[in-house]
Amino acid sequence: MKKQISRILATTILSASLFMTSCSDDENNSNKSTFVLDRENLKGEINDGTVTLESGTYKLTGKLIVKETAKLVIKPGVIIEATDATTDGLVRYIAIAQGGEIDVQGTASNPVIMTSSVKQPGGWGGLVICGKAPINKGLTASAEVSELTYGGAISNDNSGSIRYLRLEYTGYAYNSEKEFNGLSLFGVGSGTLIEYVQSYEGSDDAFEWFGGTVNAKYLVAFNGSNSVGDDIFDWTEGWTGTGEYWYGKRTNAGNRGIEADNNSNNHTATPISNPTLRNITLIGNGDTGSEPQAIKLRVGTNVNFDNLVLSNWKTGFDIQHNESLAFVTAGSLKATNVRFDNVTTKSKGTNTTSEAIDVTSVYTENANATGAGNGTGIPTWATGWTRGL
């Protein structure tokens, strides 16, 4: 009897094991993609399943689009290097379409790097993410640098997760009016995780939000090349997320630390751009460049800052247009705990008819403000995985 019971138990365990293995295989098969991965020729559309970049270097030879229901996973230490676009005229960039996902799994000691074989600003496009969160350009719109749809009504939309990513030499320009940023966030939802990302020597904005609700922590930007001319951080079209621990530095004659809009065609379009930003350090290059402002707020944007260090700028806060000025008057557009270091003019305002307006009420000072964590110095959280600082 005991032997019979033992045989029955063994058979039961084996059957259960085979069933579990079969389920696991089925699950793995369900995640397989029809995309053909070629390490030396990374481009095309990922239309289904999960594609994983495991290790080493992958050559980006055109645009790589992650479509709805598909997922791109990038393991720690992976390098994606865009090849020279002048060889064939194909623009190199990576874009996540609505319903697609990206999972960047970098670490502090082993970040993921997206770079270019052309080691200068504008060597390739950059990373574009398109979500389904609200924008104020319409229910949906078409992204300017990928022509993918973005926007919608899903505030907590999830486009994936990004941790410890360095974007280098981005900003490829189609023309003077159409060029890539380092990281472009089009209608990205709050279900998306963005932490520890650096833009290094991009030719256009380092980071730009086009509406959406996504939050972003531990962002770094460095611009030193003379061919870098635009802003470090930029938002428009109704972004309402939260930003924490941003460190932006330029040593060239480029533009602002932050340029912020609501909607240039309709200053009162809703949702109103109204992010909450805490623990920010912006370092400029004095009175150089065409617009050496630390922060330019205009065309109806609102914002709430706290713990802000502004160093080495001609102007601290430059606030323009009646709609944004109204938020200052109402007390909702404000910056508390601000430390000015070598800033010539702390604030100035200009209404829609170009009249000067006193906006000194926009800020309160605190000489002990720490900004991104270490005043004007490099914050400890930015060491090891970044470059150029």
Side-chain angles (χ1 to χ4, degrees):
M1 176 65 74
K2 289 181 179 179
K3 290 183 179 179
Q4 184 177 2
I5 292 173
S6 297
R7 285 197 298 270
I8 293 171
L9 286 172
T11 301
T12 301
I13 292 170
L14 178 61
S15 298
S17 176
L18 290 172
F19 174 76
M20 291 175 68
T21 300
S22 174
C23 287
S24 177
D25 287 344
D26 287 343
E27 289 171 0
N28 289 336
N29 287 335
S30 68
N31 289 329
K32 287 184 177 179
S33 176
T34 56
F35 181 80
V36 177
L37 181 60
D38 184 344
R39 183 182 290 270
E40 299 299 319
N41 188 26
L42 181 62
K43 66 177 181 181
E45 295 185 350
I46 303 175
N47 292 301
D48 52 32
T50 298
V51 171
T52 301
L53 309 186
E54 292 285 355
S55 62
T57 300
Y58 295 78
K59 300 292 187 180
L60 184 68
T61 56
K63 61 183 180 181
L64 179 67
I65 311 295
V66 182
K67 303 299 283 293
E68 185 173 8
T69 75
K71 185 174 184 178
L72 175 65
V73 176
I74 309 175
K75 295 292 187 177
V78 165
I79 298 172
I80 300 175
E81 183 180 66
T83 56
D84 188 354
T86 63
T87 60
D88 53 22
L90 297 177
V91 183
R92 279 80 163 140
Y93 65 92
I94 298 173
I96 313 303
Q98 287 185 318
E101 288 190 29
I102 187 170
D103 183 8
V104 176
Q105 300 178 359
T107 67
S109 60
N110 213 12
V112 169
I113 300 171
M114 297 182 183
T115 188
S116 173
S117 61
V118 179
K119 304 301 182 186
Q120 61 185 27
W124 68 296
L127 178 57
V128 176
I129 303 178
C130 296
K132 300 178 181 180
I135 61 174
N136 66 24
K137 197 176 181 179
L139 179 61
T140 62
S142 180
E144 63 183 9
V145 289
S146 66
E147 298 181 352
L148 294 171
T149 299
Y150 69 100
I154 306 175
S155 294
N156 64 345
D157 186 42
N158 183 1
S159 296
S161 174
I162 298 175
R163 299 190 85 242
Y164 290 104
L165 169 66
R166 192 164 75 232
L167 296 155
E168 301 178 347
Y169 308 113
T170 59
Y172 178 90
Y174 292 99
N175 52 54
S176 61
E177 301 297 324
K178 183 178 179 181
E179 59 186 317
F180 287 86
N181 304 298
L183 176 60
S184 300
L185 300 165
F186 288 90
V188 177
S190 61
T192 308
L193 177 70
I194 298 176
E195 295 182 348
Y196 302 101
V197 183
Q198 181 185 19
S199 170
Y200 175 79
E201 296 287 29
S203 67
D204 198 40
D205 301 330
F207 300 92
E208 184 162 5
W209 291 258
F210 297 82
T213 56
V214 66
N215 306 315
K217 297 175 65 175
Y218 304 110
L219 303 186
V220 177
F222 175 79
N223 291 335
S225 169
N226 289 332
S227 57
V228 177
D230 218 338
D231 315 302
I232 298 175
F233 302 101
D234 195 328
W235 70 76
T236 185
E237 295 182 18
W239 178 47
T240 59
T242 297
E244 296 183 81
Y245 296 101
W246 294 1
Y247 183 83
K249 180 178 181 180
R250 64 164 67 257
T251 60
N252 62 2
N255 287 340
R256 300 151 290 267
I258 290 176
E259 179 185 87
D261 299 345
N262 182 48
N263 184 305
S264 58
N265 295 318
N266 178 4
H267 296 187
T268 60
T270 57
I272 297 289
S273 294
N274 189 17
T276 298
L277 303 181
R278 310 182 188 96
N279 313 320
I280 313 295
T281 295
L282 301 173
I283 301 175
N285 194 27
D287 187 7
T288 60
S290 60
E291 295 189 85
Q293 306 128 315
I295 299 173
K296 183 176 183 178
L297 307 170
R298 62 185 185 181
V299 299
T301 190
N302 200 354
V303 62
N304 191 317
F305 292 102
D306 184 55
N307 189 22
L308 185 62
V309 173
L310 306 180
S311 178
N312 210 25
W313 299 93
K314 182 179 180 181
T315 304
F317 295 91
D318 185 355
I319 304 173
Q320 302 177 3
H321 302 109
N322 293 349
E323 295 81 4
S324 290
L325 291 167
F327 290 129
V328 176
T329 302
S332 60
L333 194 166
K334 60 183 179 180
T336 53
N337 298 303
V338 181
R339 174 185 166 190
F340 295 99
D341 172 61
N342 192 29
V343 175
T344 306
T345 301
K346 292 179 179 179
S347 67
K348 69 176 185 178
T350 310
N351 66 14
T352 304
T353 56
S354 301
E355 297 172 309
I357 303 294
D358 184 355
V359 292
T360 52
S361 64
V362 74
Y363 64 86
T364 60
E365 295 188 60
N366 180 353
N368 297 315
T370 56
N374 193 26
T376 59
I378 302 169
T380 56
W381 55 262
T383 59
W385 60 278
T386 59
R387 62 178 297 191
L389 304 181

